[in-house]
């Protein structure tokens, strides 16, 4: 069943269209940085954007930072929200559950497919960012490639980039868990995706309010950009570890709730 769901996920044209659209914005930003002098000066602007002009190998991190606040969560929410609710809307959910596989196996298969989408999407964004960055900008490591202003060896840069890709993927698993949970509550994929996005937008807005500071460390979007700390010298692990732990709690609680709801609800679609 897992293989079937994976084939279904990656044979859909909309899956690859979504991934292509996600890559369009970082590519556009790279072209504008190369053709204009709009790039921020060293030490100014978003992390990595000023550094990529002298080291294109950093552009995968800039690409992830560009899509992470909005576009990547939207894509993950839409895909995860469609996982169960899409079958219900199409009228195929009862047919799938008529097989001896059972509800738990179906939910696990859906979860694996969504996780595969998250990992593939993040890796493709980083890979395209690397190709674009090293093509348009200087690919030779130079001093000042860390956020702290010190140099990183090619091996250090590659290792930290892989860690950053993994961190972003884990952060998006939290979004996937929200989407999958809402997908078990409704027969509308749109409603499930909007439910997940509403939680994330609310989290982002609360994070900007001083009155919400007591709950800020527990908001799902709080540590999304903590992967920047992986490129400090020395690495600042505090927010990275907190971000991983927070996403682990959200994923565990939401997936348990999704399983409890899906295995007990009446299926009418």
């Amino acid at each position: 069943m897992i293989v079937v769901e994976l084939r279904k996920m990656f044979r859909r044209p909309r899956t690859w269209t979504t991934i292509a659209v996600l890559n369009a914005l970082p590519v556009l930003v790279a072209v504008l940085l190369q053709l204009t002098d709009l790039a921020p000066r060293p030490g100014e602007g978003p992390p990595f954007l000023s550094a990529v002009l002298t080291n294109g190998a950093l552009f995968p991190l800039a690409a992830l930072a560009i899509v992470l606040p909005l576009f990547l969560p939207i894509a993950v929410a839409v895909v995860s929200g469609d996982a169960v609710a899409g079958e219900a809307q199409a009228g195929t959910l009862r047919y799938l559950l008529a097989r001896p596989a059972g509800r738990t196996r179906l939910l696990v298969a859906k979860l694996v497919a969504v996780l595969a989408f998250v990992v593939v999407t993040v890796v493709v964004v980083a890979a395209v960012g690397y190709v674009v960055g090293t093509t348009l900008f200087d690919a030779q490591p130079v001093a000042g490639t860390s956020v702290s202003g010190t140099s990183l060896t090619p091996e250090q840069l590659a290792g930290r980039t892989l860690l950053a890709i993994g961190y972003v993927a884990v952060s998006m698993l939290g979004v996937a868990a929200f989407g999958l949970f809402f997908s078990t509550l409704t027969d509308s994929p749109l409603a499930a995706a909007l439910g997940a996005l509403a939680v994330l937008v609310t989290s982002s807005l609360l994070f900007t309010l001083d009155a919400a500071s007591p709950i800020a460390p527990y908001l799902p979007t709080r540590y999304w950009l903590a992967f920047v700390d992986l490129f400090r010298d020395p690495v600042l692990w505090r927010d990275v570890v907190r971000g991983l732990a927070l996403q682990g709690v959200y994923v565990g609680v939401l997936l348990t709730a999704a399983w409890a709801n899906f295995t007990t609800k009446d299926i009418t679609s």
Side-chain angles (χ1 to χ4, degrees), residues 19-86:
I19 294 175
V21 170
L22 276 175
N23 282 280
L25 182 58
V27 171
L28 177 61
V29 170
V31 172
L32 290 176
L33 289 175
Q34 178 64 23
L35 297 181
T36 70
D37 58 357
L38 297 177
R41 297 295 178 260
E44 300 178 356
F48 304 116
L49 278 186
S50 59
V52 297
L53 295 178
T54 53
N55 187 2
L58 282 173
F59 195 73
L61 292 313
L64 290 174
I66 290 168
V67 300
L68 183 57
L70 180 62
F71 297 101
L72 185 55
I74 289 177
V76 175
V78 169
V79 170
S80 59
D82 183 68
V84 176

Side-chain angles (χ1 to χ4, degrees), residues 11-259:
R11 284 181 177 178
R12 290 173 176 170
R14 66 182 180 184
T15 297
W16 296 105
T17 300
T18 300
I19 294 175
V21 170
L22 276 175
N23 282 280
L25 182 58
V27 171
L28 177 61
V29 170
V31 172
L32 290 176
L33 289 175
Q34 178 64 23
L35 297 181
T36 70
D37 58 357
L38 297 177
R41 297 295 178 260
E44 300 178 356
F48 304 116
L49 278 186
S50 59
V52 297
L53 295 178
T54 53
N55 187 2
L58 282 173
F59 195 73
L61 292 313
L64 290 174
I66 290 168
V67 300
L68 183 57
L70 180 62
F71 297 101
L72 185 55
I74 289 177
V76 175
V78 169
V79 170
S80 59
D82 183 68
V84 176
E87 300 286 1
Q89 186 180 66
T92 57
L93 186 55
R94 283 193 297 176
Y95 168 75
L96 290 174
L97 294 178
R99 298 177 179 180
R103 299 188 183 195
T104 299
R105 282 192 62 187
L106 176 61
L107 191 63
V108 169
K110 294 291 186 181
L111 173 62
V112 171
V114 172
L115 298 186
F117 172 80
V118 170
V119 173
V120 169
T121 301
V122 173
V123 170
V124 169
V125 169
V128 171
Y130 180 82
V131 172
V132 171
T134 54
T135 300
L136 296 181
F137 309 109
D138 187 357
Q140 298 300 317
V142 296
T145 55
S146 75
V147 176
S148 302
T150 57
S151 61
L152 296 175
T153 66
E155 293 76 16
Q156 288 176 318
L157 182 60
R160 297 187 189 196
T161 299
L162 290 176
L163 288 176
I165 291 172
Y167 183 86
V168 172
V170 171
S171 297
M172 290 301 99
L173 295 187
V175 180
F178 275 109
L180 192 61
F181 170 66
F182 284 113
S183 189
T184 65
L185 298 179
T186 177
D187 292 347
S188 170
L190 179 60
L194 290 178
L197 290 175
V199 172
L200 301 177
V201 170
T202 301
S203 172
S204 298
L205 290 177
L206 288 175
F207 183 61
T208 64
L209 301 177
D210 292 338
S213 57
I215 64 172
Y218 310 105
L219 296 173
T221 60
R222 168 63 180 86
Y223 298 105
W224 275 4
L225 293 176
F227 72 88
V228 174
D229 290 341
L230 294 170
F231 293 84
R232 302 188 189 277
D233 190 19
V235 175
L236 299 180
W237 291 103
R238 188 190 66 173
D239 283 355
V240 173
V241 172
R242 289 181 177 181
L244 293 174
L246 183 63
Q247 295 304 322
V249 171
Y250 275 112
V251 169
V253 171
L254 290 167
L255 292 183
T256 300
W259 173 81

